[in-house]
Amino acid sequence: MNPTIPYLERTRVLVVIGICSVIAYITGFLFGGAFFYHLAISLGYGITFNFLHVFLLRNFPQWSNPARTAIAITTGSIIGTMNMQLWIYQYRGFWRPEVLLPTLIFTVSVAIFTACFFIMRERARQAENDLKDSKLQQAEQEKALINSQLKSLQGQMEPHFLFNTLANIQVLIDIDAPKAKVLLEKITDLLRASLKQQRKDTVSLNDELKLLDSYLSIQQIRLSDRMGFEIKVDPSISKQTRIPPFLIQPAVENAVVHGIEPSVKGGYIQINFSKQEDVLTVEVSDNGIGFNDGSKGNGVSMRNVKERLSTLYGEKGRLKLIPHQGGGFTTRISFQCEQ
């Protein structure tokens, strides 16, 4: 059962008691008599209407609101009128049949007004829920679109990187067989991790670290050791922390391809993982040639990362590019992590 229903029913009862109290005050003022006497009569109508409407709503949800309201008012009017006659007889010692018609007209009018109030409020609440569901569905569709774009981009990038690496292995086999063997092992590890991640919405930090290490090791060999790298993880961060796949790798690729590779002297890449409360921050820093057309955040990969962060984490997902004065830059990625 919807957890909001008991709350709504309690609210309905309070509203009914409030309306019955006002009616009792008015009838007491017009006809005289104790307030509680009129309240007992008024509650006889109000509680009966409310009980019948809730009963019909729970047991006959397929009925329309007007049908349930009509049955509740008709039956409630009969029971409420019988209750009124009993109280008149109990309080004054005689029957008052002449008050039946005006009382019924007044009571039914109030009951219809109250029913319309509840129906309109229920429709407004339903419309609000529908709007929330629509926004949630739209957000899920945007998330699915971003993930689809990511996989499409990954599929376009991997063949190029794979063919270059295989070409390097072919060359190294003749001139440096041990290094060719290491490179082959690393590309195997990378492909295995990459295929594993493509099938999941989140991966463990441990799996992501293995993928980054394999990728950077391959690039280090490919660049003839002109590149060094280091990956640091704060000890307070669990290696089982769940993160989105392929969220960090584009920043690392950006640092290698647009920072270190074009530099004649090469360079160094450092990746730092830190955590503050529930926000995980990853900083990918290099001392390469600095910002260029591919590293200003205008590239497809960086735009994709930024859009994924916004879709998945809202304000808690951020991407920031920080230039270094002496060359190179830092890509800072922050998002809410899942244990």
Side-chain angles (χ1 to χ4, degrees):
M1 185 176 67
N2 190 330
T4 61
I5 290 179
Y7 168 77
L8 294 174
E9 291 180 357
R10 287 196 298 270
T11 304
R12 182 195 297 269
V13 170
L14 292 175
V15 172
V16 168
I17 292 175
I19 294 174
C20 289
S21 299
V22 173
I23 294 174
Y25 178 80
I26 294 173
T27 55
F29 177 78
L30 293 175
F31 302 110
F35 171 76
F36 289 104
Y37 159 74
H38 290 278
L39 181 62
I41 295 175
S42 181
L43 286 175
Y45 285 102
I47 292 178
T48 304
F49 290 147
N50 182 66
F51 172 80
L52 289 171
H53 192 273
V54 171
F55 174 81
L56 294 172
L57 180 63
R58 283 186 171 183
N59 293 276
F60 303 95
Q62 70 276 13
W63 292 3
S64 64
N65 263 326
R68 287 194 296 264
T69 301
I71 294 173
I73 290 176
T74 302
T75 308
S77 297
I78 296 172
I79 296 175
T81 302
M82 292 172 61
N83 173 70
M84 178 190 68
Q85 289 294 331
L86 288 174
W87 275 99
I88 292 176
Y89 184 80
Q90 184 73 22
Y91 188 74
R92 297 187 175 179
F94 56 88
W95 303 102
R96 294 285 301 275
E98 68 275 10
V99 303
L100 287 179
L101 184 59
T103 301
L104 281 175
I105 294 174
F106 176 75
T107 304
V108 170
S109 300
V110 172
I112 292 174
F113 171 79
T114 305
C116 289
F117 168 78
F118 284 122
I119 290 172
M120 294 301 294
R121 191 179 67 164
E122 180 66 20
R123 286 181 178 177
R125 188 181 68 85
Q126 186 62 45
E128 184 180 355
N129 290 339
D130 291 343
L131 180 61
K132 288 181 180 178
D133 291 341
S134 176
K135 289 182 177 179
L136 180 62
Q137 185 177 7
Q138 182 180 1
E140 290 295 331
Q141 290 174 346
E142 291 176 355
K143 178 180 175 181
L145 178 61
I146 292 295
N147 287 331
S148 175
Q149 291 173 345
L150 170 70
K151 291 178 180 179
S152 175
L153 176 63
Q154 193 70 21
Q156 294 170 9
M157 294 173 61
E158 282 177 351
H160 177 73
F161 172 71
L162 178 60
F163 292 145
N164 284 342
T165 304
L166 291 176
N168 287 333
I169 293 174
Q170 188 175 11
V171 172
L172 286 173
I173 287 174
D174 295 328
I175 62 175
D176 193 340
K179 187 174 284 189
K181 181 180 178 181
V182 173
L183 187 57
L184 183 60
E185 291 174 352
K186 290 297 181 180
I187 191 65
T188 301
D189 291 340
L190 180 67
L191 290 176
R192 184 183 294 113
S194 179
L195 290 172
K196 182 180 178 181
Q197 289 195 11
Q198 280 186 340
R199 295 191 293 267
K200 296 182 178 180
D201 293 330
T202 62
V203 296
S204 69
L205 177 59
N206 189 55
D207 288 341
E208 183 70 13
L209 292 174
K210 290 179 180 178
L211 185 143
L212 295 176
D213 180 78
S214 297
Y215 173 78
L216 288 170
S217 296
I218 292 170
Q219 294 288 27
Q220 189 177 48
I221 296 173
R222 192 178 68 83
L223 295 175
S224 302
D225 297 323
R226 290 193 301 115
M227 184 195 83
F229 71 91
E230 182 181 16
I231 302 175
K232 291 184 177 180
V233 181
D234 191 292
S236 64
I237 304 175
S238 170
K239 294 291 183 68
Q240 300 307 314
T241 298
R242 309 299 296 182
I243 64 174
F246 303 119
L247 190 65
I248 303 168
Q249 187 178 348
V252 178
E253 291 176 356
N254 223 28
V256 173
V257 176
H258 301 292
I260 304 300
E261 189 171 0
S263 175
V264 176
K265 63 180 181 179
Y268 191 81
I269 293 177
Q270 182 167 315
I271 306 174
N272 289 322
F273 289 80
S274 60
K275 182 181 176 185
Q276 186 173 6
E277 295 181 352
D278 63 340
V279 176
L280 183 68
T281 299
V282 184
E283 291 186 338
V284 181
S285 303
D286 73 84
N287 60 348
I289 64 173
F291 280 112
N292 54 64
D293 291 338
S295 58
K296 291 180 179 178
N298 296 322
V300 176
S301 61
M302 287 295 97
R303 285 204 307 270
N304 187 277
V305 170
K306 191 172 184 178
E307 289 175 1
R308 285 186 74 203
L309 287 169
S310 177
T311 301
L312 294 173
Y313 303 105
E315 294 183 355
K316 287 197 173 183
R318 297 180 181 180
L319 171 67
K320 188 174 183 180
L321 297 171
I322 307 168
H324 299 170
Q325 206 166 30
F329 63 95
T330 294
T331 302
R332 180 181 296 159
I333 301 172
S334 301
F335 55 92
Q336 189 174 19
C337 62
E338 177 185 347
Q339 295 298 329

